[in-house]
Amino acid sequence: MTSFASQVFARVDRFCRPLPMVLNTVLVFSITGEVSYLVLLEAPLDADQKKTVWSAWWKAAHLLAQYFMLGNICWNALLFLWTSPSIKGVFLGGEGMGQGWRYCYTCETHTPPRCSHCYDCNVCVLRRDHHCVFFGQCVGFRNYRYFLSCLLFMWSGLLYATLMNAEVFLVILKEGVTVHSVLLLLIPWLMLVSGQVSARAFAFAFIADTCVVGFLLVSAFFFFHLVLMLRGQTTREWYSTRRPYSLGLRGNLRHALGLRWYLCWLCPLIPSPLPGDGMNFEVTGPLESTR
């Protein structure tokens, strides 16, 4: 009985693991499609401006901006998934072992400082930050640049989409702050089921709400990791208030984003080699926790 239950749980777990990434992908492309529709068919609202040269350039600029952000999100996400942050293929041990090295009984090997075992990935990860549920992979030494860049363009894209959908909120609230308008903004699916709104109005209201909620969530993640990067910390080290590896603002940027930290965020295809090997770190403060 226990074996059957464990098999069922394992199958459900395998089925559910990719769901956050699938949902993320659907939402990103849905929001992009909706904003493209707003740009091409709904804006500008003045009918006299719809066929002007200014309107054509305005639409081209907006489409270029949003597909530049979409391309960066997709490329950074793919490179994040393709770049393994684990110890697989890395030579560990030898004379380089020193303070901070530990033995992982699961992987049966010595691991360097800032490396820890991930039970979701079932492997030790170099400079492990955390396991990202939305990507189904750990954030570590080699793929941190792509993770942070993806967050940057998701944040800017959701900010852009929220501003573009401001007209949707204005149209909904045009009738005033009534029970109907408030419910349409907060729970549009309930209004759709009750038959009080059309499918088109529901789609616009739902995506507009998704943009606002997504922007708030991504903002929290992005600015939290931005602070961690500038402080030279991982999420695990932030919990213990340790900053033993901080190299100053520029040094922390170089170690997180690579030697071309000032350019690499523009495009994931810009090469930006990391200055370290993920195993040896310069210690600039006490290794003991202050809590």
Side-chain angles (χ1 to χ4, degrees):
M1 183 66 182
T2 306
S3 177
F4 175 75
S6 61
Q7 289 178 3
V8 171
F9 177 78
R11 290 181 180 178
V12 172
D13 182 61
R14 284 197 300 269
F15 174 78
C16 292
R17 280 194 178 187
L19 288 182
M21 188 166 57
V22 172
L23 179 62
N24 253 1
T25 304
V26 171
L27 289 177
V28 166
F29 281 94
S30 298
I31 292 172
T32 304
E34 188 258 359
V35 175
S36 298
Y37 175 85
L38 290 176
V39 170
L40 290 173
L41 300 178
E42 297 292 334
L45 295 178
D46 190 350
D48 295 334
Q49 295 180 351
K50 286 185 179 292
K51 296 182 180 181
T52 63
V53 175
W54 179 88
S55 174
W57 279 104
W58 182 88
K59 291 181 178 182
H62 276 270
L63 291 175
L64 180 64
Q66 65 177 320
Y67 284 101
F68 172 76
M69 290 184 284
L70 176 65
N72 270 284
I73 292 171
C74 294
W75 269 112
N76 278 298
L78 288 174
L79 289 175
F80 172 82
L81 293 172
W82 288 339
T83 306
S84 173
S86 72
I87 61 173
K88 291 180 179 179
V90 178
F91 176 74
L92 302 172
E95 299 179 355
M97 289 191 297
Q99 186 179 16
W101 283 72
R102 291 168 297 188
Y103 188 80
C104 177
Y105 290 94
T106 305
C107 295
E108 298 181 342
T109 184
H110 288 91
T111 58
R114 312 181 85 181
C115 177
S116 63
H117 189 84
C118 175
Y119 291 95
D120 291 301
C121 299
N122 197 30
V123 70
C124 284
V125 176
L126 295 173
R127 195 187 176 273
R128 181 171 179 261
D129 190 276
H130 70 284
H131 182 84
C132 183
V133 177
F134 294 102
F135 286 107
Q137 181 168 280
C138 270
V139 180
F141 176 71
R142 298 192 194 96
N143 62 2
Y144 188 77
R145 164 200 169 179
Y146 304 119
F147 171 76
L148 196 64
S149 297
C150 191
L151 279 182
L152 168 65
F153 283 101
M154 286 183 70
W155 176 81
S156 58
L158 285 168
L159 174 61
Y160 170 81
T162 301
L163 294 175
M164 290 297 294
N165 275 280
E167 189 68 32
V168 175
F169 293 109
L170 294 177
V171 170
I172 293 174
L173 294 174
K174 197 172 184 180
E175 63 182 74
V177 183
T178 62
V179 175
H180 178 271
S181 62
V182 171
L183 289 177
L184 183 56
L185 284 174
L186 298 180
I187 41 178
W189 51 86
L190 182 62
M191 302 293 286
L192 177 67
V193 172
S194 63
Q196 298 185 43
V197 296
S198 63
R200 184 174 183 271
F202 162 77
F204 278 112
F206 177 76
I207 292 182
D209 287 350
T210 302
C211 290
V212 174
V213 175
F215 173 71
L216 295 176
L217 291 175
V218 173
S219 294
F221 281 113
F222 173 62
F223 287 108
F224 173 68
H225 281 281
L226 187 63
V227 170
L228 287 180
M229 179 186 66
L230 297 178
R231 290 166 59 94
Q233 287 180 307
T234 63
T235 301
R236 291 164 54 84
E237 293 162 354
W238 178 80
Y239 285 126
S240 61
T241 70
R242 290 181 297 155
R243 296 180 60 186
Y245 304 106
S246 180
L247 301 174
L249 181 61
R250 185 172 180 180
N252 293 336
L253 286 169
R254 284 164 55 90
H255 274 264
L257 302 178
L259 299 179
R260 295 191 180 93
W261 57 269
Y262 48 88
L263 282 179
C264 68
W265 59 272
L266 287 171
C267 177
L269 301 180
I270 296 176
S272 184
L274 296 168
D277 57 5
M279 294 185 291
N280 302 292
F281 299 93
E282 182 181 348
V283 179
T284 60
L287 293 172
E288 295 80 11
S289 175
T290 57
R291 284 186 182 176

